[in-house]
Amino acid sequence: MATPKGAIGNEPVVRIAVGGEHDGTDRLNAARDTAETVDVVAVGPTGVEALAPLVLATRDGATAFLPRCTVEDARTAVEALEDGSLPDGGPTVEHDPTTSTLPLPPEETMVSTALTAGVRRALGGCGWQAPASVADYRTSCDGALLAEDGIDDPDAVHERVADAALRGRGRGDGSTDDPISGAWTTASETDGEPVVVVNANEADDHARADRLLLESAPLAVLDAALATAHAVDATDVLVYTNDTESLARERAQEAADALAAECDSPVPIQVVAGPDEYTAGEMTMALEAMEGNDRLEARRRPPGPAEYGLYGRPTVIHTPRTFAQVGQALAGEGLGGVPGDPGTRLFTVAGDVDAPATIELPTDATLADVRGAVALDGGLKTACVGGRFGGLTRDLDVPASASGLRGARLGTNGVIELFDESTCTVALAGRRAKLAREENCGRCVPCREGSKQLVDLLRDVYDGEYQDGMLRELARTMRETSTCEFGQEASRPVTTAMESFEPEFRAHADGRCPSGSCDGVSS
Amino acid sequence: MSTDQSTPRVPDVENPQPTMPLTEDIRPGTANDPPVEIVERDRTADADRAATLTVDGESVTVSAESTLLDATEAIDTDDYVPALCSYDDHDEIGPRSECRTCMVETEEHGVVPSCSFPAEDGMTVRTDTTEASEARDVNLDLLLSNHNLRCTTCGKNGRCELQDVSIENDVAEPRYGVFDERDAYEPLDDSSPFIQIDRNKCILCNRCVEACNDVQVEGVLRIEGSGEDTRIGFQNDAETMMDSTCVSCGHCATVCPTGALVEQGLTDAATIPAPGFTQKNSIGKTVEAENDRFQPGQATPMKGDQGDESAAEPTAESPATEDD
C-alpha cells in the first residue's frame, strides 16, 4: 500500500488543519477544488483552538499563517500560491524548506500566544506533517524509523528507555508517574506472548492531548509503540480509542498501514474502539472493553496488566503521550526536564478561557507558564490541575514534573482548568464528587458507597453542618482502599478544596456563598 | 473523507485462556480478574514452596499461592480483620476483594486488601495500625450505609455474615447510618417459590453470580448497571426470578453472606416475632408470585421452555399448518 503523500519539501503547498474541535474539512474541500498545480494537504490540528481552523500556505521556504481561516480565505490562499505569491492577511515566517516541525511566527503577530508558550517537541509535527505520511515523519527522525532500529536491536530500545528513567503519562497508563521500564521488564519476563496497547480512550472533554497526538502525529506514537513491541517481544499492537473519535481512529489506521508498508515488522497494529464512558479509559477497564465484556468493571490487582493483561497475556499499556516521550528518548536527543521525570508533559488549558489550548512544558518549567497561553475572563481564583479528579489550587507556581505535581497534591493527567472569581469552590468540588458517584463502575465499596457519602457530607455543608473530620476520614479511605485510580482520585477535588479554600466551606455552613453563585445555602 | 468507519470492539488477537464448552451463553458482567497467586518470575517452578512472613510480629509460613488473609488467619491477630466478602470454601468463588474490610498494612506495599494480596516471602504485615484499622472500619460502615438493617424480620437473622462481623467489630452506631429510606427500597422479589431476593440487603459480593455461573454453570445471575445502580440481575434481562432461567438449585442462597438471597422455606426461619412486623411489610413493596405461573418442577417457566422448544414449533399435524 502506498504511503500518503507528504507535505514537507513539496512546495508550493497549502496545509489545512482537519480535526480537533473546529474541523476544517470544508476548507480542505474548497482548497482542493480550487487547486490546479498547488498541493493541498490535510494535516492535523495544532492543539490551539484559538487559531482553528488554521491554514498554512508555504512556498520558497516561507509560510503564511491564516488562523481562523474561512472557506473563502482557503480558496484565496490557493490562488495566491498558484500565482506565485503568498496570501496576505496573516503573519509569515521563513524557515528551512525541509524542517520537520511547525515553524512559529513571532508571538506578537499571532491572534493567540499558545503556539509559543512552552516548547513544541512531542507537538512539533502537529499541524505541519501530513499525519500518515512516513516521508514527512522520517524528516523528524533523521530517516530511520524507531521500529526499524527496534527490530535490529530490541535490547537497545529497552536500555535507552530505562536509562532515561522515563515515567508514564496520563490517566489510563499502566505506569502513570512511575518509570515505565519496570513494566516492560515484567511483561517481557512473564509467561505468555506480550501485547502492547496504546490507550487513547478518554471521555474527559478537557483532556485532549492523546486525541491530538493521534489526529496530528499518529506515526510518532505508533512508531514508538512498534519499537516498544519489539523491545518486549510483543506479537500485537492495539490502538484503543473512543467510539466517537472516528478521525483519530481513521488516522491511526492510515498511519498503521503506512508503517506496515514501510517497515518490515511482523507485529500487526490494530485499531479498536471502546465506549465513550469515563471509566472506559481506566487501564483494566480498557482491557475488559477490548475483550468484549458486556459490562465494564475494574479488575482486581495485583497483579497488574504487565503480568495479567488482555486475555490474561502480559500487556504493556501506555497513553499516546507516553509513547510520544518514548519516541523522543529513542530519537537520541536529550530529553531535558528534571532527571527524576525527564522530558516534557502535555497540558490542555481549559475552563473560563477564550479557547482551550494544548501546550507542552518541560518538566523543569512551572505550571504558571500556561497563563501565557490563554486569555482568562476575569481574575484567576481556582485552577483544577489533573483532569476531572484533579486538585484545586490558587497557586500555579508548581513544577510540571510528576513529583512536583504530586507534592502539591495535584493530579498528573495533563489538564489545567482555570476558573475566575465567580466560581464557587465548594460547588466545583461537589460537582466532581457527584460525577464520581454517577460514573463509577460499582465494583468496590470505598468508591461506590464512599462517593455517595461524600456527596451527602457535602450536602450537609449546605445544610449548615461542616464535618471536616468525617470528610477527611472518608476521603482517606477512598484514596487508600479503592481498587483503581478512579476511586483513589475521586475525593481529590474535595480534599484539596478543603485545604486551600476552607473558609468557603465554613461560610457555606453559615449560610453564605462568598462567590455568590450557590443557590439554596441555608440562611 | 469518511468518518463512519466501523471498528470492531473486540480485536483479532489470540486469547490463550481456556474456555469451557458451555451449554449456556454466559455473560458474566464482571471483570476477568487475574489469578491470586503471584507470578513466580524469579523462582523455580516449585508450587509447594512456602512463603514465610511476619504478621503482627509473629512468623507465619504459608504455601506459595496463599494470600495475606491466609497468613492472618493462621494466627491470633492483634486486630480483627473482617474480610466480609471473602469466601474460601470453593476455588471458583472469589476472592472478589470488593468490600475492602480486610485491609492490612504491609511494610512493602502500604495498606492492601489481605483477601487477595499474594503472600510474598519476607513480607511484614500489621493488622493494628491506625491506617489499616480506620480503612476496615470505614468500609464496613460504608457497607452498612447501603444495607437494610432490619435484622429482626430477616430470614438470615443469626446466620448472617454481615451481622456477625458487625457484632465482632463492635459496631454500635454505623457512622453513615443505615439504609433506612423506605421510598428508596427495591421491591422484594418473591416471585419464585424457591428463592426470595431482597436487593436492599445485597452487598454486591458477587458470590451468588460466581456460584451460578462458575460452579453450577447455569448462567442465570449477573451483575448489571454501574455506580449506585449496580445490582444483581438476570442474564436473560428478566425483571423477576420467576422470569429468569433459574433451576432453583439454591446455590446462590447458600453462598449469600446476607439476607439478600434466601430459600423460600427459610424466609422466616430466624425472625424474632414482633407484633405487626414481617419482612414484607418492612420493605413495603413486593413482587408477588403469580398463581397461574406456579412452577410444576424446579425450573422456572423460561428455563422449562428452553428444554421444550421443539414442542412449541408447529408440526405437520398441527392445525396451524392446515388450510381452512
Side-chain angles (χ1 to χ4, degrees):
Chain A
M1 176 188 253
T3 159
K5 190 171 184 183
I8 296 174
N10 301 328
E11 294 178 5
V13 62
V14 173
R15 290 176 171 84
I16 316 258
V18 172
E21 298 302 302
H22 298 280
D23 188 85
T25 304
D26 49 355
R27 277 84 173 159
L28 178 70
N29 293 338
R32 282 194 172 147
D33 290 347
T34 312
E36 288 167 14
T37 58
V38 170
D39 277 336
V40 176
V41 176
V43 295
T46 59
V48 180
E49 295 293 340
L51 302 179
L54 178 65
V55 170
L56 304 171
T58 304
R59 74 170 307 127
D60 303 333
T63 293
F65 276 63
L66 300 169
R68 297 175 188 166
C69 183
T70 64
V71 171
E72 198 46 48
D73 292 340
R75 276 198 199 99
T76 314
V78 173
E79 284 160 5
L81 286 191
E82 299 270 4
D83 292 345
S85 62
L86 282 173
D88 301 327
T92 300
V93 59
E94 290 186 10
H95 54 82
D96 177 346
T98 59
T99 180
S100 62
T101 56
L102 179 72
L104 303 178
E107 196 174 301
E108 59 276 10
T109 62
M110 292 292 284
V111 293
S112 165
T113 52
L115 272 187
T116 47
V119 296
R120 288 183 81 83
R121 291 183 208 150
L123 295 178
C126 296
W128 189 248
Q129 297 174 13
S133 161
V134 176
D136 275 11
Y137 172 65
R138 276 189 192 272
T139 61
S140 59
C141 45
D142 294 332
L145 299 175
L146 308 174
E148 289 168 343
D149 291 344
I151 296 172
D152 295 342
D153 192 355
D155 293 341
V157 171
H158 195 160
E159 276 166 28
R160 269 147 96 177
V161 168
D163 289 347
L166 204 57
R167 290 174 189 265
R169 276 132 169 89
R171 174 181 166 261
D173 192 287
S175 308
T176 296
D177 303 341
D178 291 330
I180 64 176
S181 75
W184 289 22
T185 304
T186 304
S188 54
E189 289 181 357
T190 301
D191 284 347
E193 293 183 319
V195 182
V196 170
V197 174
V198 181
N199 183 5
N201 188 297
E202 173 60 86
D204 180 353
D205 185 45
H206 292 135
R208 297 178 179 177
D210 289 330
R211 174 180 158 197
L212 171 66
L213 287 173
L214 283 193
E215 286 187 350
S216 269
L219 277 165
V221 174
L222 297 192
D223 188 24
L226 202 53
T228 305
H230 293 305
V232 301
D233 205 16
T235 56
D236 298 276
V237 173
L238 296 161
V239 184
Y240 172 69
T241 72
N242 288 56
D243 217 4
T244 50
E245 285 175 6
S246 43
L247 181 65
R249 209 157 61 236
E250 197 173 303
R251 287 196 168 150
Q253 188 64 60
E254 283 171 12
D257 294 343
L259 209 51
E262 285 272 327
C263 168
D264 190 21
S265 167
V267 180
I269 301 176
Q270 294 180 60
V271 184
V272 294
D276 302 312
E277 296 166 23
Y278 186 64
T279 48
E282 194 277 329
M283 62 172 173
T284 63
M285 286 190 250
L287 301 173
E288 288 286 314
M290 282 187 276
E291 288 182 11
N293 201 338
D294 55 320
R295 174 175 167 275
L296 291 190
E297 194 177 73
R299 279 184 191 171
R300 179 169 54 66
R301 63 203 78 173
E307 285 173 78
Y308 187 92
L310 188 74
Y311 294 123
R313 295 167 57 177
T315 300
V316 169
I317 177 166
H318 294 307
T319 60
R321 276 172 282 174
T322 303
F323 282 116
Q325 296 296 323
V326 169
Q328 301 276 310
L330 296 181
E333 296 144 26
L335 284 172
V338 292
D341 180 19
T344 59
R345 286 182 173 267
L346 301 185
F347 293 94
T348 303
V349 196
D352 297 330
V353 297
D354 56 342
T358 301
I359 67 162
E360 184 172 0
L361 297 179
T363 52
D364 52 3
T366 69
L367 299 189
D369 290 3
V370 304
R371 289 298 303 277
V374 288
L376 181 66
D377 310 325
L380 173 68
K381 176 184 173 187
T382 316
C384 181
V385 178
R388 287 185 172 181
F389 298 142
L392 304 190
T393 179
R394 295 174 195 279
D395 179 15
L396 285 176
D397 201 14
V398 173
S401 62
S403 60
L405 292 163
R406 289 265 163 192
R409 304 195 181 203
L410 304 177
T412 54
N413 196 19
V415 184
I416 303 177
E417 296 160 84
L418 304 177
F419 297 103
D420 65 19
E421 287 102 345
S422 68
T423 302
C424 172
T425 325
V426 180
L428 176 62
R431 284 196 294 274
R432 301 296 160 103
K434 187 161 168 279
L435 182 89
R437 188 191 69 186
E438 288 167 356
E439 303 273 322
N440 71 77
C441 80
R443 172 164 184 168
C444 72
V445 165
C447 180
R448 184 184 71 232
E449 303 301 337
S451 57
K452 269 159 75 175
Q453 297 302 327
L454 190 65
V455 172
D456 286 351
L457 285 169
L458 290 173
R459 279 199 184 125
D460 290 346
V461 176
Y462 282 78
D463 291 338
E465 196 178 10
Y466 174 46
Q467 303 175 82
D468 53 342
M470 286 274 280
L471 274 162
R472 288 201 183 92
E473 178 189 66
L474 176 64
R476 247 191 330 265
T477 304
M478 290 175 71
R479 188 172 66 234
E480 294 287 327
T481 70
S482 290
T483 300
C484 77
E485 288 78 6
F486 185 101
Q488 288 160 10
E489 301 188 345
S491 61
R492 183 161 49 202
V494 175
T495 48
T496 50
M498 286 169 64
E499 277 164 27
S500 301
F501 302 90
E502 178 139 36
E504 287 196 47
F505 282 81
R506 302 212 174 276
H508 280 75
D510 291 339
R512 193 168 51 81
C513 173
S515 55
S517 59
C518 289
D519 295 330
V521 233
S522 67
S523 51
Chain B
M1 90 183 39
S2 160
T3 53
D4 58 359
Q5 176 195 0
S6 65
T7 309
R9 187 160 287 166
V10 186
D12 177 25
V13 299
E14 194 189 337
N15 175 4
Q17 296 185 113
T19 48
M20 201 189 299
L22 300 173
T23 50
E24 304 282 341
D25 178 21
I26 291 182
R27 301 178 296 144
T30 52
N32 171 16
D33 274 349
V36 167
E37 65 266 23
I38 190 162
V39 179
E40 303 285 320
R41 286 194 307 278
D42 49 359
R43 290 191 197 168
T44 52
D46 179 6
D48 295 329
R49 178 162 173 163
T52 300
L53 44 153
T54 309
V55 182
D56 290 341
E58 222 175 301
S59 179
V60 182
T61 301
V62 290
S63 59
E65 71 278 9
S66 301
T67 63
L68 294 184
L69 185 63
D70 296 326
T72 61
E73 284 177 345
I75 61 158
D76 266 341
T77 51
D78 288 349
D79 265 13
Y80 173 55
V81 180
L84 175 62
C85 75
S86 164
Y87 185 79
D88 58 5
D89 286 1
H90 200 290
D91 284 346
E92 292 184 80
I93 298 181
R96 172 86 170 155
S97 196
E98 156 270 320
C99 74
R100 303 268 158 170
T101 61
C102 65
M103 307 305 289
V104 294
E105 182 143 350
T106 64
E107 253 176 34
E108 296 77 12
H109 306 282
V111 175
V112 298
S114 64
C115 73
S116 60
F117 205 92
E120 296 163 16
D121 200 39
M123 278 178 98
T124 304
V125 181
R126 293 218 70 92
T127 62
D128 59 351
T129 64
T130 314
E131 290 76 12
S133 170
E134 176 185 274
R136 292 193 302 265
D137 290 351
V138 169
N139 283 330
L140 181 54
D141 279 357
L142 282 171
L143 268 169
L144 293 169
S145 75
N146 192 31
H147 186 81
N148 169 347
L149 216 64
R150 291 168 187 265
C151 298
T152 58
T153 57
C154 178
K156 287 274 186 78
N157 190 22
R159 54 187 187 113
C160 165
E161 293 177 39
L162 179 58
Q163 194 178 38
D164 291 346
V165 301
S166 300
I167 293 167
E168 186 74 23
N169 207 44
D170 295 327
V171 178
E173 199 175 332
R175 69 197 78 188
Y176 309 111
V178 296
F179 180 29
D180 200 24
E181 294 167 61
R182 288 181 62 126
D183 291 348
Y185 283 170
E186 281 216 51
L188 197 70
D189 183 351
D190 201 32
S191 63
S192 154
F194 292 96
I195 310 284
Q196 186 190 65
I197 310 179
D198 182 356
R199 292 188 175 84
N200 308 297
K201 293 192 166 80
C202 176
I203 62 165
L204 296 169
C205 68
N206 207 50
R207 284 187 202 173
C208 57
V209 174
E210 288 173 45
C212 186
N213 296 341
D214 302 344
V215 184
Q216 298 294 338
V217 201
E218 283 298 337
V220 179
L221 298 172
R222 67 187 296 252
I223 299 262
E224 63 183 18
S226 62
E228 55 194 323
D229 300 324
T230 311
R231 71 201 281 268
I232 298 295
F234 303 104
Q235 298 218 5
N236 67 345
D237 293 327
E239 268 307 302
T240 64
M241 196 65 154
M242 193 61 155
D243 287 331
S244 74
T245 53
C246 179
V247 295
S248 306
C249 75
H251 202 155
C252 55
T254 310
V255 299
C256 179
T258 69
L261 290 155
V262 183
E263 300 88 339
Q264 285 287 16
L266 299 173
T267 52
D268 57 0
T271 56
I272 296 168
F277 283 99
T278 65
Q279 196 202 0
K280 283 189 186 175
N281 71 15
S282 76
I283 304 296
K285 293 167 280 189
T286 307
V287 179
E288 298 285 358
E290 293 174 37
N291 287 336
D292 60 337
R293 301 186 66 200
F294 183 79
Q295 296 168 89
Q298 290 207 315
T300 56
M302 185 70 82
K303 187 73 180 179
D305 288 350
Q306 280 186 349
D308 201 22
E309 271 167 15
S310 57
E313 295 292 318
T315 60
E317 294 80 28
S318 77
T321 59
E322 289 177 7
D323 291 325
D324 297 338

